[in-house]
Amino acid sequence: MADPISPELDHLIAGYRRFRTQDWTPKLARWRELRDGQSPQVMVIACSDSRVDPAQVFDTDPGEMFVVRNVAAMVPPFETTPGRHGVSAALEFAIQVLKVREIVVLGHGMCGGCKAALDQSLQGTEPGHGGFIADWIALLDEARGPVVAQYGTTGHAAERAMELAGVRTSLANLRTFPCVAQKEAAGKLRLTGAFFAISDGLLHVMDEATGAFSPVD
């Protein structure tokens, strides 16, 4: 006897059926094009948060964006130490194989990873009980100092400052990858920082010269 379908899986299957009717069939020509491969011009590095889906925020069709999502939309610096470098591998694929022209780092409001980096609530926890997250968001330790000095460790202003600092940190770390630095210098790649505020649905884009974020008109 087959195991019963959980309510959670049943909800997903219902969505799949809608997808087949509303998206797959009307866009069949596009899906047939994608059978032969992908050629997105943009890579988006975003948070795993269930409230911030880049495809929904930017209203894109399949094949338009190469997306990597992780806790707090972080990019680690270039390093060759042993380990599983998932973000680095995806970045390498996007640049060297897909030859994307733009990389967007998309931070967001109410980010749990940035909040944990700010208040260090997971510091000292064991792997499997918060330790993996703590190690990952330690990428923000250096950026945390100025935020705490100006805003403290609690409150909306402190959290927003940490979220924006996270985007800037990932952009800086992207530029430590030789392939990124070389292509950016040659004008073949552009890096953009962006921020989506869940509270009001506004997208902000970073000014490269000042590091300030302004809402898109």
Side-chain angles (χ1 to χ4, degrees):
M1 181 177 177
D3 292 334
I5 294 177
S6 69
E8 293 79 13
L9 180 57
D10 190 54
H11 178 70
L12 294 181
I13 290 175
Y16 158 73
R17 289 174 177 143
R18 291 192 302 274
F19 159 75
R20 288 286 296 183
T21 302
Q22 299 170 15
D23 291 288
W24 176 266
T25 302
K27 298 177 181 177
L28 193 55
R30 174 59 174 164
W31 287 106
R32 284 173 174 160
E33 290 176 7
L34 293 173
R35 288 184 307 189
D36 298 325
Q38 59 173 325
S39 55
Q41 296 297 294
V42 178
M43 177 184 191
V44 177
I45 299 168
C47 184
S48 300
D49 194 299
S50 62
R51 299 166 292 181
V52 188
D53 179 0
Q56 187 173 34
V57 172
F58 295 116
D59 190 25
T60 57
D61 285 329
E64 289 189 66
M65 297 190 305
F66 184 72
V67 180
V68 172
R69 300 179 70 176
N70 61 54
V71 173
M74 293 308 303
V75 176
F78 178 78
E79 55 188 3
T80 57
T81 54
R84 309 293 185 182
H85 302 292
V87 176
S88 301
L91 179 63
E92 188 174 68
F93 184 78
I95 292 175
Q96 307 291 32
V97 179
L98 298 177
K99 302 187 186 305
V100 299
R101 299 279 303 176
E102 177 97 25
I103 299 176
V104 177
V105 176
L106 179 64
H108 72 93
M110 305 175 191
C111 179
C114 288
K115 186 176 186 298
L118 181 65
D119 62 25
Q120 298 191 328
S121 57
L122 296 176
Q123 196 171 46
T125 55
E126 293 294 322
H129 298 277
F132 288 127
I133 302 171
D135 287 345
W136 180 249
I137 59 177
L139 289 166
L140 289 170
D141 282 355
E142 185 175 339
R144 177 181 181 271
V147 172
V148 172
Q150 184 170 357
Y151 299 101
T153 60
T154 59
H156 174 73
E159 291 174 18
R160 176 60 61 90
M162 192 74 253
E163 291 155 0
L164 300 181
V167 174
R168 298 186 192 102
T169 297
S170 285
L171 288 171
N173 287 346
L174 276 170
R175 292 185 168 106
T176 66
F177 285 78
C179 58
V180 172
Q182 291 163 7
K183 291 211 168 190
E184 187 181 29
K188 295 180 179 180
L189 180 67
R190 177 185 168 92
L191 307 186
T192 298
F195 178 85
F196 179 75
I198 291 175
S199 58
D200 56 20
L202 292 179
L203 178 72
H204 300 70
V205 173
M206 192 187 90
D207 183 313
E208 187 67 35
T210 65
F213 287 76
S214 300
V216 175
D217 295 332

